[in-house]
Amino acid sequence: MSTMREFDCLDHKVTFDEACVNVISDNSNYDSLWLYSLSSDCVSCPYKRLMSIPSIVDSSLKFSTVKAVKWRVLDNDGKNEYISAENTNDIFCELSPNMGQYGLYELAIQDKACSFRTLKNPTYPYTELFVISAIIVLILLGISAGRFLWRTYRRRYGKGGKEEATNKEPTKRRVKAIDAFRGASTLFMIFVNDGSGSYSVLGHTTWNGMLPGDLVFPCFMWIMGVCVPIALSAQLRRGIPKLEIAFTVLKRSFLLFLIGVSLNTLGTNAQLEKIRVFGVLQRFGVTYLVVSVMYLCLEPSLQLQDQDSSRNRVTRVLRDMQVLLPYWSFMLILVMVHCGLTFGLAVPNCPTGYLGPGGTHEDGYYMNCTGGAAGYIDRVVLTINHIFAGPTIASVYGSGPFDPEGILGCLTATFQVYLGVHAGVILMMYKNWKERVVRWLSWAVLYGVLGCILHFCNVIPVNKNLWSLSFVFVSTSFALAFLSGCYLLIDVVRVWQGGPFRIAGMNALVLYVGHMMCYQIFPFHWRIGEMDSRALCFIESIWVVVLWTIIAYIMHHKRTYITL
């Protein structure tokens, strides 16, 4: 719901994402008028009571401008805190005000009617974003141009020019786009976790839908899947026994889960009976274990990678699907189990197949049904003390504890990591860059279309909290398109070396864990005054990203790479 409190617009200032409304009333014949409000962020919610409107005395309110609101002035006794949007009784007037940050407005209730007008025009909220982003881009372009000129100078006039030309290794090049992709995901995750520069549009959506911040986690998991066949196949080629590799995978998964649980206790007393079990790194650990063990057990034959011109064209086009048929069968079973539990599990006092946030959603009829089957499984298996107590939906819908990285979502998350494995297999099997890119983009289009159909037909909405199937398809579509772009620019055309993301991607785990541990201490976090300037908030978030990027470059310079 919109942030609101009684406020004197003349004596105090509003900050970014806030507007002030003077409420003027001159209706001596109406002594029981009440103002109710409904935020567009709260889908299928009732109107919430805000204040009683005096018949003569004026008052002021401050509202959040992040989401649009609707108002209803009701002529009733105001006893009900919530009034259903379907209930049209007692409506004195109804408005949909258009408010912007720093704006000053007037709601006048006079002559048996309501009017809304602007007293002070709002400001454009994205000026700081565009200006600071443009400055950053210019700095990065300047650095790139300087490095290019320096390399050109050394090649032409430097002593080592000929040596550099003759000492190029003929061995297979590392695909730098993968590191750049991983680094971009890591740095943007740090940016979002730090508040995304006060821009909620760059963060996470409340429930259904997708914002840029919602793409970070699935992209990070997907690129992990891309690396699985590359890493495991290399170990198998070196003759390392599968059992030894499986033990390494198990150890790595356990450490990821353990580190994730440890991070969940930051800022707490680590009370064992209240520790949150699941989280970001825990989901990495679970999905990595399942996908890697599956790859070892069903080791695909990649001998088809030889460029045999006599091979049937249809077989050549579909060969990545052929070698992965057992994997697709296993993943199809996982998806079917997920859908069966989501839409078929009987949740007490909740409709079967409910996918809503609970709380005030649907006028509060399903108050304790948050997340449907996903939330119910977590509450039964983990108990309410071991799941996330402060989800985003709590501030909007008034919902109870819910874990967005819970048990049921691990099934579709595993499927998403497998889709990354498929992209990695394409990279290994096809040596021509055109074949790789065409296949990646073809799958991106297919996944995008499937995800949009599921979402816009309201079959399975895109939802990060539930890690819905449509969310997997749409985020994977973006990941494939983004990797294709990075691959073309970095590894094919070579007009970009991947900086500053590539170096950060080589120590992604260190950056993420370090950020989670240091996000409240200087110099990784700071404040000046009330931080009521959007530019200041944005600069602070960028500062955190730059600081961790510098750390990544220092570690790279020292050839220090920490993995599990």
Side-chain angles (χ1 to χ4, degrees):
M1 304 294 289
S2 298
T3 301
M4 179 283 303
R5 70 172 185 265
E6 293 188 10
F7 192 77
D8 190 335
C9 297
L10 299 178
D11 295 339
H12 299 81
K13 67 176 182 178
V14 293
T15 62
F16 60 86
D17 289 338
E18 290 182 345
C20 193
V21 179
N22 289 324
V23 182
I24 299 176
S25 176
D26 186 14
N27 282 280
S28 57
N29 297 327
Y30 295 90
D31 296 327
S32 57
L33 295 180
W34 290 82
L35 178 63
Y36 283 73
S37 179
L38 173 61
S39 169
S40 61
D41 200 25
C42 197
V43 179
S44 299
C45 291
Y47 281 78
K48 183 179 181 180
R49 182 185 63 210
L50 295 186
M51 62 172 290
S52 173
I53 300 176
S55 59
I56 300 177
V57 180
D58 299 338
S59 57
S60 300
L61 298 174
K62 186 164 69 171
F63 285 87
S64 168
T65 59
V66 174
K67 299 293 181 178
V69 296
K70 293 181 179 180
W71 292 337
R72 279 182 180 177
V73 177
L74 302 182
D75 183 12
N76 61 15
D77 54 16
K79 291 182 179 180
N80 296 322
E81 183 178 3
Y82 294 98
I83 298 291
S84 173
E86 302 296 326
N87 185 356
T88 58
N89 297 327
D90 304 323
I91 295 180
F92 181 84
C93 64
E94 190 170 10
L95 305 95
S96 297
N98 183 18
M99 297 184 291
Q101 67 173 16
Y102 297 111
L104 177 61
Y105 304 91
E106 179 184 87
L107 171 62
I109 305 172
Q110 298 171 327
D111 300 325
K112 299 181 181 181
C114 301
S115 62
F116 182 81
R117 67 188 183 102
T118 301
L119 301 179
K120 178 184 176 183
N121 289 325
T123 62
Y124 184 65
Y126 301 110
T127 301
E128 296 89 344
L129 174 64
F130 293 141
V131 171
I132 297 176
S133 298
I135 293 174
I136 294 172
V137 170
L138 290 175
I139 292 174
L140 293 177
L141 289 176
I143 294 174
S144 297
R147 293 184 62 182
F148 174 77
L149 294 174
W150 174 248
R151 287 196 302 270
T152 303
Y153 173 81
R154 291 195 61 184
R155 279 198 299 268
R156 292 186 177 181
Y157 307 106
K159 295 181 179 180
K162 294 183 179 179
E163 294 180 3
E164 290 180 4
T166 57
N167 291 338
K168 289 184 178 179
E169 298 182 358
T171 56
K172 183 169 59 175
R173 296 176 64 250
R174 179 186 180 99
V175 180
K176 297 179 180 179
I178 293 178
D179 291 325
F181 185 105
R182 189 190 301 112
S185 300
T186 304
L187 294 180
F188 193 65
M189 182 180 290
I190 292 174
F191 175 77
V192 172
N193 288 346
D194 196 66
S196 59
S198 77
Y199 283 99
S200 58
V201 72
L202 298 178
H204 298 292
T205 189
T206 303
W207 192 247
N208 289 338
M210 180 177 287
L211 290 175
D214 297 317
L215 290 167
V216 178
F217 189 11
C219 284
F220 209 157
M221 297 192 66
W222 180 84
I223 200 65
M224 178 183 70
V226 173
C227 298
V228 165
I230 299 173
L232 296 185
S233 295
Q235 295 180 60
L236 291 170
R237 285 195 301 269
R238 291 197 301 268
I240 302 177
K242 286 187 178 181
L243 191 61
E244 183 178 341
I245 299 176
F247 177 76
T248 303
V249 168
L250 180 62
K251 182 187 72 172
R252 185 172 297 168
S253 300
F254 173 76
L255 290 176
L256 282 171
F257 202 98
L258 179 62
I259 294 173
V261 173
S262 300
L263 291 177
N264 286 346
T265 63
L266 285 173
T268 71
N269 293 324
Q271 198 76 25
L272 290 181
E273 57 268 30
K274 292 185 178 181
I275 291 179
R276 180 191 177 196
V277 176
F278 277 85
V280 172
L281 291 183
Q282 295 91 313
R283 180 160 286 186
F284 273 102
V286 171
T287 55
Y288 174 73
L289 176 64
V290 174
V291 171
S292 298
V293 170
M294 180 186 67
Y295 189 88
L296 290 173
C297 294
L298 304 173
E299 180 188 353
S301 174
L302 302 181
Q303 298 304 316
L304 292 173
Q305 64 184 349
D306 296 331
Q307 306 299 316
D308 187 355
S309 58
S310 64
R311 190 174 304 280
N312 181 277
R313 180 175 177 82
V314 176
T315 303
R316 179 181 177 83
V317 171
L318 299 177
R319 62 186 180 178
D320 57 304
M321 287 292 295
Q322 290 175 343
V323 299
L324 292 176
L325 278 179
Y327 299 83
W328 278 104
S329 301
F330 182 77
M331 287 299 143
L332 182 60
I333 293 174
L334 277 186
V335 172
M336 291 175 64
V337 170
H338 178 273
C339 292
L341 291 173
T342 299
F343 296 103
L345 182 65
V347 180
N349 302 317
C350 301
T352 303
Y354 179 72
L355 299 176
T360 55
H361 181 250
E362 299 291 353
D363 288 339
Y365 288 126
Y366 312 123
M367 177 67 68
N368 298 316
C369 299
T370 304
Y376 176 68
I377 291 173
D378 289 340
R379 291 191 295 270
V380 170
V381 177
L382 303 174
T383 73
I384 199 169
N385 288 330
H386 296 287
I387 61 179
F388 191 38
T392 305
I393 52 176
S395 61
V396 177
Y397 292 93
S399 308
F402 174 78
D403 206 321
E405 285 84 42
I407 297 173
L408 189 58
C410 288
L411 299 180
T412 42
T414 301
F415 177 55
Q416 179 148 37
V417 174
Y418 163 72
L419 296 181
V421 171
H422 185 195
V425 168
I426 291 175
L427 181 66
M428 296 174 64
M429 294 184 66
Y430 299 93
K431 300 306 178 183
N432 185 281
W433 67 267
K434 292 181 181 178
E435 292 182 305
R436 292 173 173 176
V437 173
V438 167
R439 279 165 176 79
W440 285 341
L441 293 180
S442 298
W443 283 106
V445 171
L446 177 61
Y447 294 148
V449 170
L450 287 175
C452 289
I453 290 175
L454 291 174
H455 178 76
F456 290 107
C457 292
N458 203 30
V459 178
I460 303 177
V462 171
N463 189 300
K464 176 185 177 293
N465 292 279
L466 299 176
W467 215 272
S468 64
L469 188 60
S470 57
F471 175 76
V472 170
F473 283 139
V474 173
S475 56
T476 300
S477 174
F478 171 83
L480 280 164
F482 185 53
L483 179 63
S484 299
C486 291
Y487 178 68
L488 286 173
L489 293 174
I490 299 171
D491 295 286
V492 179
V493 185
R494 301 186 188 181
V495 296
W496 178 38
Q497 289 192 336
F501 306 120
R502 183 174 63 86
I503 303 303
M506 300 173 76
N507 262 310
L509 181 62
V510 174
L511 266 61
Y512 175 76
V513 174
H515 161 69
M516 293 299 294
M517 295 180 65
C518 303
Y519 75 101
Q520 285 185 321
I521 64 175
F522 183 83
F524 301 96
H525 174 70
W526 47 263
R527 293 177 61 86
I528 298 177
E530 297 297 325
M531 294 293 284
D532 54 0
S533 165
R534 190 185 290 280
L536 199 59
C537 293
F538 192 72
I539 290 173
E540 193 273 341
S541 294
I542 294 297
W543 162 263
V544 175
V545 174
V546 171
L547 191 59
W548 283 109
T549 303
I550 293 173
I551 292 173
Y553 269 84
I554 292 173
M555 296 180 68
H556 175 67
H557 179 72
K558 295 179 177 294
R559 296 294 186 265
T560 302
Y561 307 102
I562 300 177
T563 58
L564 297 179

